[in-house]
Amino acid sequence: MSLAGKTILMSGGSRGIGLAIALRAAADGANIAMLAKTDTPHPKLEGTIHTAADQIRAAGGHALPIVGDVRDDDDITEAVLKTQGEFGGIDIVINNASVIDLSRSLELGAKKYDLMQDVNVRGTFMLSRAAVPILKDAENPHILSLSPPLNPTPKWLGAHTGYTLAKFGMTMATLGLAAEFARDGIAANTLWPRTTIATAAVQNLLGGDKVMAASRTPDIYADAAYAVLCKPAREYTGQTLIVEDVLEAEGVTDFSGYAAIPGTPDSALFPDIFLD
């Protein structure tokens, strides 16, 4: 299967994993609409929604940058309607936008807790829900959320409770949608990596250059997402998927080409959180 002619509505996507997924789909000639806030350059982060759109077009896709906030219901409605109006429908929703703060419970600010809940959990639910009536008319509709399997062990529940709640909330919302709309043929799955991915979040929040060097590139996430989105929606839903497992099922056995630093052995890579 191919994503040629398919229309993707993504939250975020100005950089990092979201952009990598968009570029992988663009190589097939997909249409990608992005609902994101980064309208002007950020002092510490590369890329805006407009530079991302330029890269998507250069890769062979069609881009629709929509400046807005996934926390705002009017912005969500506008994004859904603009995407449908521009491309004639919506085939895929990717819940990529996410806020991370690994502070312990006593140090986590109330506003940051609310922000993580609003973007990660509420944003995932509201954007997906708004697109469902249009997804029902798609040939092979998918919802994909970039969130981890539910792993309620003390290790992860106690590590950073606020962030854990927000990421598990994304997953629970997605699994709920999978069950609720299975009869309509809408797939809803989550996807998460075994190792850290070399993104700005890892650079700035998880360990700087040391962890970046022991990470894989966003391309591994993009290739796994592509494989998921090409699956028959009625047969491939309600799963909490792992990036490497998806690729292994596709016949990929050598992940060395995804190392952020070429030549880094798999054994030296930094494991991502939430997985035992």
Side-chain angles (χ1 to χ4, degrees):
M1 294 183 69
S2 166
L3 296 184
K6 299 292 185 180
T7 296
I8 297 171
L9 174 58
M10 176 186 294
S11 61
S14 298
R15 62 185 69 86
I17 293 167
L19 179 57
I21 293 173
L23 293 176
R24 180 66 183 86
D28 277 2
N31 310 312
I32 297 105
M34 296 171 293
L35 172 62
K37 292 174 58 181
T38 313
D39 185 35
T40 57
H42 189 283
K44 295 183 179 180
L45 301 173
E46 293 185 2
T48 69
I49 192 173
H50 305 295
T51 60
D54 289 341
Q55 292 182 63
I56 288 167
R57 297 182 186 112
H62 304 275
L64 177 63
I66 304 169
V67 178
D69 192 332
V70 76
R71 295 175 295 173
D72 188 301
D73 293 343
D74 291 337
D75 286 357
I76 287 175
T77 299
E78 182 181 18
V80 169
L81 293 178
K82 279 188 173 181
T83 303
Q84 183 185 38
E86 180 74 14
F87 299 121
I90 298 173
D91 298 283
I92 296 163
V93 171
I94 299 178
N95 295 299
N96 164 72
S98 185
V99 176
I100 180 172
D101 190 317
L102 302 182
S103 298
R104 305 284 288 178
S105 295
L106 297 183
E107 287 75 44
L108 179 64
K111 289 184 177 180
K112 182 58 72 71
Y113 175 90
D114 290 343
L115 179 63
M116 288 194 290
Q117 287 290 323
D118 286 347
V119 172
N120 300 9
V121 188
R122 189 180 190 278
T124 292
F125 178 77
M126 290 297 181
L127 182 63
S128 301
R129 184 181 75 164
V132 161
I134 303 171
L135 289 171
K136 287 182 177 181
D137 295 328
E139 182 180 354
N140 193 46
H142 279 266
I143 297 169
L144 182 64
S145 300
L146 308 190
S147 59
L150 300 176
N151 185 9
T153 63
K155 174 181 178 180
W156 295 120
L157 286 178
H160 26 65
T161 302
Y163 180 61
T164 298
L165 286 170
K167 294 306 290 188
F168 284 179
M170 289 180 69
T171 298
M172 292 184 71
T174 305
L175 294 177
L177 294 169
E180 185 174 358
F181 297 106
R183 292 183 179 180
D184 298 294
I186 300 175
N189 298 289
T190 70
L191 187 62
W192 196 251
R194 289 198 184 281
T195 74
T196 51
I197 304 296
T199 64
V202 168
Q203 175 75 55
N204 298 329
L205 300 173
L206 294 183
D209 294 339
K210 181 178 180 180
V211 177
M212 286 285 281
S215 300
R216 289 182 170 137
T217 68
D219 291 338
I220 191 171
Y221 219 136
D223 287 346
Y226 179 87
V228 172
L229 298 174
C230 286
K231 297 290 186 183
R234 289 188 178 273
E235 303 171 14
Y236 200 82
T237 185
Q239 300 187 61
T240 55
L241 302 163
I242 303 301
V243 165
E244 289 81 355
D245 291 348
V246 170
L247 293 177
E248 286 176 353
E250 295 294 309
V252 179
T253 58
D254 182 3
F255 298 119
S256 61
Y258 293 115
I261 302 298
T264 304
D266 288 355
S267 59
L269 296 175
F270 200 84
D272 209 305
I273 58 178
F274 297 122
L275 302 182
D276 293 334

